[in-house]
Amino acid sequence: MRILITGVAGFIGSHLADYLLKKGHRVVGMDNFLTGRKENIQHLKGNSKFKFIQHNVTQYIQVPGSLQAILHFASPASPIDYLRHPIPTLKVGALGTHNALGLAKKKRALFMLASTSEIYGDPLINPQHEGYWGNVNPIGPRGVYDEAKRFAEAITMAYHRSHKIPVRIVRIFNTYGPRMRREDGRAVPNFISQALMNKSITVYGKGNQTRSLCYISDLVEGLYKLLNSSLNEPVNIGNPHEITILSLAKIIKRLTGSSSKILFKPLPQDDPQVRRPDIRLARRKLHWNPKILLEEGLRETIRYFQTGRR
Ligand code: UDP
């Protein structure tokens, strides 16, 4: 297949490009480097199966030649990034998704949307299954991301129903691994870089909020299985192993052998109290199950932050 990935220079986009190229596909990558980084795709320069187009998908998208699939992964994805870029976040989720769907329609290509567990907001049930509609504050600081992704899901399903485009909607839960930016602002990169510098590890609130962390290689395998399935409805992909943020901080401190202290800071507004994917659908329909244990994935990620080896 010849596949377009929007957001190819991002953490997930670049791993996805590597995986698809390894599987023998041709990849057209697109990014405007708002939060993506050239370093993440540097190694693909000179690969005859990879072509890069610098473009902001909020503007009309043009890709010469045929495409069999469009994987729409462009968006700021870390809370501090979407707070820093609220309007581009709304635009890429809304206008960018519309443009990418228009391209899919024109090229008769399959369309995959990178959606998110933020669809569920600060969830009132735990774990979250795909049938749950969520608990989102539309005008809060996270609303720019959550509502853009909810709109993106709505327009993706509308294109599927009206134009008969095959679609895949993946609700990605917290994912981590090499190529996350040091200054990304999310818990894993923050804690690792703080621990490696023996600086205070900043835990927001009491640290009793929970997350469930999926290693990048597991996520990418799930994405590929979903791509090759015939599931047009949203599917959760994530690791159901749920831990508190305070225990995550302690694990990272131990794995890095750091002398950092834990510093409690105010909890950001609308920070979800719990998050854990119900992955029965992915298990049943995709025969997908995450394999990498938390400590194993964290060790790889720590190594990346130490050596830069991606
Ligand atoms: N968090 C924290 N300290 C940090 C960064 C994040 O305690 O330096 C918390 C944050 O408040 C949230 C959890 O860790 O409860 C996960 O945050 P992250 O930014 O990784 O992603 P989110 O799951 O909120 O989208």
Side-chain angles (χ1 to χ4, degrees):
M1 289 199 281
R2 186 165 186 259
I3 302 172
L4 172 69
I5 303 177
T6 75
V8 75
F11 160 55
I12 296 177
S14 65
H15 282 286
L16 191 53
D18 286 350
Y19 189 89
L20 294 173
L21 288 164
K22 235 176 244 152
K23 290 273 175 193
H25 300 290
R26 283 180 297 154
V27 172
V28 180
M30 193 168 272
D31 211 293
N32 68 342
F33 301 116
L34 179 65
T35 57
R37 288 185 303 173
K38 292 197 170 114
E39 301 96 278
N40 287 345
I41 50 169
Q42 197 65 36
H43 60 287
L44 299 177
K45 251 192 177 166
N47 182 331
S48 61
K49 296 205 156 163
F50 180 74
K51 177 185 158 77
F52 179 72
I53 303 173
Q54 184 165 342
H55 181 67
N56 179 351
V57 294
T58 293
Q59 313 287 334
Y60 187 85
I61 308 169
Q62 260 169 348
V63 176
S66 69
L67 286 173
Q68 284 70 51
I70 295 173
L71 314 184
H72 182 40
F73 280 69
S75 177
S78 151
I80 64 160
D81 282 336
Y82 45 80
L83 292 183
R84 209 178 278 148
H85 307 290
I87 295 170
T89 300
L90 280 159
K91 285 172 80 175
V92 74
L95 309 180
T97 305
H98 184 214
N99 289 334
L101 280 162
L103 184 69
K105 180 169 157 238
K106 186 161 99 188
K107 303 276 186 188
R108 298 176 195 282
L110 184 151
F111 180 81
M112 179 184 271
L113 172 69
S115 186
T116 167
S117 54
E118 285 283 325
I119 291 289
Y120 305 120
D122 188 3
L124 304 178
I125 63 163
N126 196 38
Q128 296 80 49
H129 60 82
E130 290 85 350
Y132 178 51
W133 292 351
N135 177 40
V136 172
N137 173 3
I139 57 164
R142 303 173 83 103
V144 296
Y145 183 66
D146 302 10
E147 295 296 2
K149 290 291 189 182
R150 288 168 70 98
F151 172 86
E153 287 200 5
I155 193 170
T156 299
M157 286 311 289
Y159 265 69
H160 172 60
R161 293 188 182 117
S162 303
H163 299 306
K164 312 288 176 238
I165 294 179
V167 299
R168 307 286 179 264
I169 299 175
V170 53
R171 291 187 179 153
I172 300 172
F173 282 66
N174 294 71
T175 302
Y176 69 101
R179 299 186 193 168
M180 288 185 106
R181 289 171 298 150
R182 206 174 280 277
E183 68 289 357
D184 171 287
R186 279 178 282 197
V188 169
N190 266 10
F191 292 174
I192 293 179
S193 44
Q194 290 162 343
L196 289 176
M197 292 187 291
N198 294 312
K199 286 189 175 164
S200 299
I201 298 180
T202 55
V203 168
Y204 302 156
K206 294 197 179 81
N208 57 5
Q209 68 274 36
T210 67
R211 292 295 185 273
S212 309
L213 298 167
C214 185
Y215 190 63
I216 183 68
S217 59
D218 280 332
L219 175 84
V220 169
E221 267 179 31
L223 297 177
Y224 195 64
K225 288 193 164 177
L226 178 60
L227 185 68
N228 288 306
S229 77
S230 53
L231 281 178
N232 290 289
E233 310 86 45
V235 183
N236 290 339
I237 297 282
N239 189 318
H241 175 67
E242 182 181 14
I243 57 163
T244 67
I245 290 301
L246 182 57
S247 54
L248 175 67
K250 288 181 179 163
I251 294 169
I252 290 176
K253 180 170 146 73
R254 172 167 55 77
L255 294 179
T256 50
S258 170
S259 61
S260 293
K261 294 201 166 41
I262 289 183
L263 176 68
F264 292 93
K265 292 198 136 190
L267 190 68
Q269 192 192 329
D270 299 336
D271 197 290
Q273 264 308 297
V274 291
R275 183 181 287 156
R276 177 183 179 199
D278 180 331
I279 56 166
R280 281 177 297 178
L281 184 64
R283 281 191 179 127
R284 201 170 61 239
K285 299 274 184 167
L286 306 178
H287 307 291
W288 173 83
N289 214 24
K291 297 193 272 277
I292 307 292
L293 297 174
L294 181 63
E295 292 206 2
E296 205 183 323
L298 285 175
R299 281 207 177 85
E300 278 303 312
T301 312
I302 291 165
R303 201 166 302 143
Y304 163 71
F305 276 90
Q306 283 171 323
T307 64
R309 189 152 43 80
R310 32 198 65 230

